[in-house]
């Protein structure tokens, strides 16, 4: 595994804690970014969005009613700016490895990253 793992999450998220535990147990180094203290940069958001497929897939609409605005913005740049301003709207954990990324707890996908 050539790329470093990045876990974007919040301390109160059960799935974020499970993701950290997954990589710790396998002694895979990772970088944790607390979204409640530091959001994602536009470049990071673009990279994750590219891997996931859409900005809507990154947003936790159930927990964040205000995030519904994302569905009505036409321009990708507007969606990007709104998510950069409101990192609490993102589903967690967002786990990134180079150009690959997952949303939520996805050990079956991460296992494939270990063999690369």
């Amino acid at each position: 595994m050539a790329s470093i793992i990045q876990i974007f999450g919040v301390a109160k998220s059960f799935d974020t804690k499970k993701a950290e535990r997954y990589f710790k147990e396998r002694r895979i180094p990772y970088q944790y970014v607390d979204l409640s203290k530091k959001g994602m940069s536009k470049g990071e958001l673009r990279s994750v969005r590219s891997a996931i497929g859409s900005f809507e897939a990154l947003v936790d609409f159930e927990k964040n009613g205000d995030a519904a605005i994302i569905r009505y913005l036409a321009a990708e740049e507007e969606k990007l700016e709104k998510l950069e301003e409101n990192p609490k709207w993102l589903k967690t954990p967002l786990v990134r490895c180079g150009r690959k990324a997952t949303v939520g707890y996805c050990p079956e996908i991460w296992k494939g990253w270990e063999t690369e």
Side-chain angles (χ1 to χ4, degrees), residues 2-80:
S3 298
I4 188 153
I5 302 289
Q6 288 181 301
I7 301 173
F8 296 90
V10 291
K12 294 180 180 179
S13 165
F14 183 67
D15 283 344
T16 297
K17 290 177 185 175
K18 283 179 19 181
E20 284 189 275
R21 189 175 328 113
Y22 176 89
F23 292 105
K24 276 182 189 172
E25 287 174 354
R26 287 156 183 79
R27 295 188 175 101
I28 298 171
Y30 66 90
Q31 175 189 21
Y32 173 72
V33 178
D34 188 340
L35 290 173
S36 63
K37 295 178 183 172
K38 180 182 186 270
M40 295 177 80
S41 71
K42 281 185 183 179
E44 290 167 332
L45 277 168
R46 275 193 186 99
S47 174
V48 171
R49 181 240 165 265
S50 177
I52 300 302
S54 72
F55 282 117
E56 289 81 0
L58 302 175
V59 178
D60 191 341
F61 293 105
E62 291 179 22
K63 290 184 183 174
N64 304 293
D66 294 342
I69 192 171
I70 293 293
R71 291 183 171 137
Y72 303 103
L73 297 173
E76 292 278 312
E77 197 61 31
E78 289 177 315
K79 292 178 182 184
L80 184 69

